[in-house]
Amino acid sequence: MRHSLRWRALLSVFLFNSVVFAVLGMALARDQAIAGQRLERQWTEDLVATIEETIAPEGLKVAAILRWPSWRSFSDAVLVDRHLEETPAGTMRASGIDLNPVGGGARPHDFDRGRVLRAVYQAMRGESSVASAGGNAVPIRVGHGVWGGLWYRTRTRAVDYPAVLRELLPWFALSTLLLTGATFLALRRIVLDPVEHLAEGARRMRTGDFSVRLPEPPGRDELAELVRSFNSMSATVQGFNQRLSEEVRVATEKARAAEAAAMRERRLAAMGELAAGLAHEINNPLGGLANAVEELRRPELPPARRAQYLELLARGLERIGETVNRLRRFTPRETPHEPVDLAAVLQDALDLVRHRAERLRVTLVQTVGEGPLRTRGARNELGQAVLNLLVNALDALEEHGTRDPRGPRLELGLRRVDGRVVLAVRDNGLGVAPEQLDKVADLFYTTKEVGRGTGLGLALVHNAMQHHGGEVRITSERGRFFQVELLFPAQGGLAEASGS
């Protein structure tokens, strides 16, 4: 789970203060223990010195020992001389002086006197302090020898840490909360608020809002300088973004203008093809019509011959009218989608380029399959798409020629495959390299020489196929062929075709 910076800072301050107070509490308890041990050593030294001073050659001054004022700090004590012996049972017994200056009324019922005497015996032999039975045994020296020993137990106890904790815990909690709150408030004003403003500003800039400006904190510390730098950066980025947007707008308008100009150039080129095809289709019958008119002007022309020439005029005019109608079917206009016979579309486009194919000595091979070869769409758009493919193929054969010994060929196929109608245009020119195959349909991409192509032919074909829910497949082998297949959704079936 993700926590905010405020909560993490508050938790860090609280934990830091808690650790500090815990360390201070432990140090205080340790100091108390050391002070208790120091006090106990001082009492021990005073007691031993008092006892050693009361030992006279004629004997021990018991009254002076009992009047020592610090006995109230001791809970128990046993003073014996060096006459200690071990009984057959293995316990220690005092056979000389055996004094209890404090009294035995406060002793527990399980007090082990033998253990205490053995500790005193060990202290006298080792001339050092021995801890035993909750107290300490020390030797008593007189001159250069050991007179006896003293076992004592002070009223001071080891530090009761749980009790100390219970006593200090309320004050510790209160002081920790107060210190944590004060530290957090100062930290929030100095650090947290500016950092949160920076984070919010960065988030807004990431979403594209470059107008964000942060409130600048007072002072001249590092965070204030960081906020000022952020505001300056935001203003710079905003200005740069505005300039970039303006430059993109200008560049887009230029690109659109260039695209429109290229489109016009492509349409003019297509119109040129249409005009050439139209002129070819009209000029052929016009020559015969002119001859027939000249013959009809002769008054001596026999009636049978006159009727023959009139029939020739009618057929010629009909052919010219059909050519004009074919041209009208290629005219751009808004038309609703309707069933379109793709075989007729292919034939119209082929008739418009046939004269050029004959001039270039290109062999036209046309294969049309059986069954209904129709789709639903705008006939003029589909006709322009097919015409573009034929013009592109003839351009490639005219510019680069072919390596096929049979000469230049243009193969046209139309068939129905798996519920779709496939129209294929294949030339035996030089084709394109594999690395160019994915680019040939891009806008303005052309393999023709400068000034001879706009790079819009296949792009227009793709656009028309997208409008009709179709697909374009391009295949090529360098030096052998280039083929474009248009896959149309089929319209109707055999029953519909026979009834139409």
Side-chain angles (χ1 to χ4, degrees), residues 80-85 95-97 120-121 124 142 145-149:
V80 297
D81 61 7
R82 64 177 178 272
H83 298 97
L84 291 175
E85 57 184 14
S95 59
I97 296 175
V120 173
Y121 178 74
M124 289 189 298
V142 176
V146 176
W147 175 84

Side-chain angles (χ1 to χ4, degrees), residues 38 53 58 60 69 84 111 142 162 191 196 199 219 222 233 262 270 334 398 402 452 468 477 484:
R38 187 182 298 113
E53 290 176 356
E58 63 274 12
L60 180 67
L84 291 175
F111 180 75
V142 176
V191 178
E196 287 187 354
E222 290 82 356
M233 178 189 66
E334 293 293 333
E398 180 180 9
T402 180
R452 299 203 59 185
H468 289 78
E477 184 176 338
V484 180

Side-chain angles (χ1 to χ4, degrees), residues 96-365:
I97 296 175
D98 186 359
L99 182 64
N100 183 7
V102 178
R107 287 177 178 172
H109 66 278
D110 59 346
F111 180 75
D112 191 351
R113 180 177 173 80
R115 182 182 175 188
V116 168
L117 293 178
R118 185 172 293 280
V120 173
Y121 178 74
Q122 293 175 352
M124 289 189 298
R125 293 188 60 184
E127 298 187 9
S128 62
S129 176
V130 176
S132 178
N136 289 319
V138 295
I140 304 299
R141 300 179 181 84
V142 176
H144 298 288
V146 176
W147 175 84
L150 171 69
W151 176 88
Y152 66 91
R153 181 163 54 196
T154 63
R155 293 186 184 279
T156 58
R157 296 174 297 174
V159 178
D160 188 357
Y161 289 102
V164 173
L165 181 61
R166 285 192 299 272
E167 183 177 354
L168 294 180
L169 185 59
W171 299 100
F172 159 76
L174 180 60
S175 60
T176 300
L177 291 177
L178 291 177
L179 184 58
T180 298
T183 306
F184 177 75
L185 290 177
L187 185 64
R188 186 185 68 176
R189 183 175 182 275
I190 299 173
V191 178
L192 296 180
D193 287 346
V195 169
E196 287 187 354
H197 291 157
L198 281 170
E200 176 64 17
R203 185 193 64 79
R204 290 175 59 184
M205 286 193 66
R206 187 173 64 248
T207 58
D209 182 9
F210 300 114
S211 63
V212 59
R213 300 293 185 273
L214 304 180
E216 297 186 2
R220 294 188 175 276
D221 56 11
E222 290 82 356
L223 276 174
E225 184 62 29
L226 181 60
V227 171
R228 295 188 187 96
S229 299
F230 179 88
N231 289 337
S232 176
M233 178 189 66
S234 177
T236 302
V237 172
Q238 183 181 19
F240 175 76
N241 185 64
Q242 292 174 349
R243 293 193 300 271
L244 182 61
S245 298
E246 180 63 21
E247 292 176 0
V248 169
R249 185 188 64 80
V250 173
T252 302
E253 291 180 354
K254 291 182 178 179
R256 288 175 178 171
E259 180 179 351
M263 286 289 187
R264 287 193 297 271
E265 181 181 347
R266 180 66 190 181
R267 290 192 178 100
L268 289 174
M271 289 176 61
E273 292 290 338
L274 292 175
L278 180 63
H280 178 79
E281 292 293 323
I282 292 178
N283 284 334
N284 282 341
L286 277 181
L289 293 178
N291 292 332
V293 169
E294 290 296 329
E295 290 296 325
L296 289 173
R297 287 176 178 174
R298 292 168 51 195
E300 69 278 10
L301 189 66
R305 192 68 173 171
R306 184 178 298 275
Q308 183 179 359
Y309 280 120
L310 289 174
E311 179 66 22
L312 177 63
L313 284 174
R315 288 199 305 270
L317 292 173
E318 182 180 354
R319 180 178 175 183
I320 292 174
E322 186 174 340
T323 301
V324 173
N325 287 333
R326 186 184 303 122
L327 178 63
R328 290 178 59 193
R329 289 195 290 268
F330 281 86
T331 303
R333 62 187 183 277
E334 293 293 333
T335 57
H337 283 203
E338 57 186 5
V340 177
D341 186 356
L342 292 174
V345 171
L346 177 61
Q347 188 61 47
D348 286 346
L350 187 60
D351 288 342
L352 290 174
V353 299
R354 189 182 302 276
H355 70 286
R356 184 181 177 191
E358 294 173 353
R359 177 172 56 83
L360 298 176
R361 299 182 183 279
V362 175
T363 302
L364 299 176
V365 180

